[in-house]
Amino acid sequence: MTKHKILSFGELLLRLSSSGESFLGENGQVVVFPGGSEANVAASLGQWGVPCSYLSRIPENDLTSQILSTLTSLGVDVSPSLLEGDRLGLYFLLSANGLSKGEVVYDRKYSAFSQLKPGMIDWDRLLDDFTWFHWSALTPALNEDLAAVCQEALNAARTKGLVVSVDLNYRNRLWNYGKDPIEVMPGLLQYCNVVMGNIWAANKMLGTSVLETLGRDTEPDVYFEHAKESAQEIFGLLPECQHVAYTFRFMDSATHNLLYGTYHTREADVMSAISETNQVIDRIGSGDAFMAGLIYALVAGKGGQEVIDTATAAGFKKLFVKGDFGNGDLGQGLF
């Protein structure tokens, strides 16, 4: 495997989930998990033996110590994280396992991470130890200061020749400081070599084309053609980009999930097989596991079909693991 050392940067979150049909149900019990997209990616990579570190800004207390210990036990180096500020970001999942849409309430304003400002991290020094920088669109969605922090990090990563990967996570409820993604993301994405997301997020972030007629019943081969077109638009817009991967995820009921992925380079396009289940346990973090699988496959130097098969398998297997991070069984049978 090519020697890479990856730094994943983003907000560490605490997830509070309902244990029943509604969050404020009769028993009033809430289940708590650590999470956050970039931490989820690091947790998967750590379990698969990829040298990986995690950077966030979190308050120093017993709760965050437990979360960091959990990440450490999964093989993640958390020493870059800053123990500063007053509160940890939260999100509330108003169902037991994220089995339907529109059920997330964010409580991330005024968190320690959200108050990061340019100049607070010495990116030039920090990135000396790494060959790969991973971030997501969730960070610049929070406020203008964090968009500027991402710009700092990406400038340093480019200067040092790091591979840069990004997840085009789009959450419309987070973009509420007067900027649309299309005003912020194109400039930041210029630094990226690996772009993962879906064709709808690419449209929101970069203005790439997507047809309004596409839907749940659209055939996979039709989606594949649209994915090819979207990816080629991205390659035209982002000169540094060499890899694009898209997920296609559909659900017909609370426990159903249909998942496949496409992978694109400037020379070739491939699609995974379709994975489907009616036994979903927890769909939160499936996209992050896909991202981690993509990074793993690229670090391992796998060929195009293996790249997308690995990413899709990782995303699919996460559907059967409770919690955001996944667990040690997540990688079995993948590689």
Side-chain angles (χ1 to χ4, degrees), residues 46-68:
Q47 290 175 83
W48 300 334
V50 178
C52 185
S53 300
Y54 177 63
L55 168 60
S56 192
R57 184 175 188 262
I58 48 180
E60 186 172 10
N61 57 44
D62 290 344
L63 175 59
T64 54
S65 293
Q66 288 186 34
I67 299 172
L68 294 179

Side-chain angles (χ1 to χ4, degrees), residues 194-238:
V194 181
V195 174
M196 173 265 178
N198 60 52
I199 57 175
W200 297 277
N203 168 260
K204 291 287 187 183
M205 307 275 172
L206 283 166
T208 51
S209 56
V210 63
L211 293 179
E212 293 183 6
T213 53
L214 299 174
R216 167 66 181 91
D217 297 324
T218 303
E219 292 294 326
D221 58 342
V222 175
Y223 269 126
F224 187 30
E225 292 304 314
H226 283 285
K228 290 179 188 178
E229 294 173 12
S230 177
Q232 288 305 315
E233 287 185 63
I234 286 181
F235 291 133
L237 292 166
L238 307 180

Side-chain angles (χ1 to χ4, degrees), residues 2-299:
T2 303
K3 288 295 182 185
H4 270 291
K5 189 176 180 185
I6 297 166
L7 178 68
S8 189
F9 168 64
E11 182 165 21
L12 187 64
L13 297 170
L14 204 61
R15 162 183 156 192
L16 289 80
S17 305
S18 168
S19 60
E21 290 300 313
S22 68
F23 195 84
L24 301 175
E26 290 181 9
N27 60 20
Q29 293 180 335
V30 173
V31 183
V32 180
F33 296 101
S37 175
E38 305 83 5
N40 297 344
V41 170
S44 287
L45 291 172
Q47 290 175 83
W48 300 334
V50 178
C52 185
S53 300
Y54 177 63
L55 168 60
S56 192
R57 184 175 188 262
I58 48 180
E60 186 172 10
N61 57 44
D62 290 344
L63 175 59
T64 54
S65 293
Q66 288 186 34
I67 299 172
L68 294 179
S69 293
T70 298
L71 281 168
T72 300
S73 73
L74 298 178
V76 180
D77 167 33
V78 298
S79 62
S81 285
L82 306 173
L83 298 177
E84 303 171 349
D86 298 320
R87 64 178 301 260
L88 190 65
L90 309 175
Y91 78 97
F92 299 85
L93 189 62
L94 305 186
S95 65
N97 43 15
L99 296 185
S100 59
K101 298 177 181 177
E103 298 178 319
V104 173
V105 174
Y106 294 106
D107 181 15
R108 299 173 68 163
K109 284 189 176 181
Y110 313 114
S111 68
F113 184 84
S114 74
Q115 294 178 328
L116 261 178
K117 295 189 178 353
M120 293 176 69
I121 296 173
D122 185 349
W123 291 104
D124 188 60
R125 179 194 60 77
L126 179 68
L127 293 178
D128 267 345
D129 293 334
F130 297 97
T131 64
W132 189 302
F133 179 71
H134 176 68
W135 64 292
S136 90
L138 295 171
T139 299
L142 296 175
N143 59 56
E144 284 189 282
D145 281 334
L146 281 170
V149 170
C150 287
Q151 183 72 61
E152 281 186 328
L154 294 166
N155 280 332
R158 173 182 280 178
T159 299
K160 293 179 173 297
L162 274 67
V163 177
V164 177
S165 60
V166 64
D167 185 338
L168 300 182
N169 275 318
Y170 175 63
R171 304 289 183 271
N172 65 326
R173 294 174 188 170
L174 293 181
W175 288 90
N176 57 15
Y177 62 94
K179 296 280 189 180
D180 290 326
I182 196 70
E183 299 176 78
V184 177
M185 291 301 297
L188 298 176
L189 294 174
Q190 294 296 322
Y191 298 81
C192 296
N193 311 106
V194 181
V195 174
M196 173 265 178
N198 60 52
I199 57 175
W200 297 277
N203 168 260
K204 291 287 187 183
M205 307 275 172
L206 283 166
T208 51
S209 56
V210 63
L211 293 179
E212 293 183 6
T213 53
L214 299 174
R216 167 66 181 91
D217 297 324
T218 303
E219 292 294 326
D221 58 342
V222 175
Y223 269 126
F224 187 30
E225 292 304 314
H226 283 285
K228 290 179 188 178
E229 294 173 12
S230 177
Q232 288 305 315
E233 287 185 63
I234 286 181
F235 291 133
L237 292 166
L238 307 180
E240 301 293 328
C241 183
Q242 300 300 322
H243 309 272
V244 173
Y246 287 140
T247 57
F248 293 89
R249 293 183 282 174
F250 302 100
M251 51 180 287
D252 296 330
S253 68
T255 55
H256 171 265
N257 201 95
L258 184 150
L259 169 67
Y260 55 95
T262 66
Y263 169 64
H264 314 270
T265 64
R266 292 177 183 268
E267 296 79 32
D269 308 271
V270 290
M271 186 171 81
S272 75
I274 296 170
S275 297
E276 189 169 10
T277 181
N278 284 294
Q279 298 177 315
V280 172
I281 292 173
D282 190 338
R283 67 178 78 248
I284 302 296
S286 173
D288 303 321
F290 181 104
M291 180 80 242
L294 174 67
I295 293 173
Y296 178 95
L298 292 175
V299 166

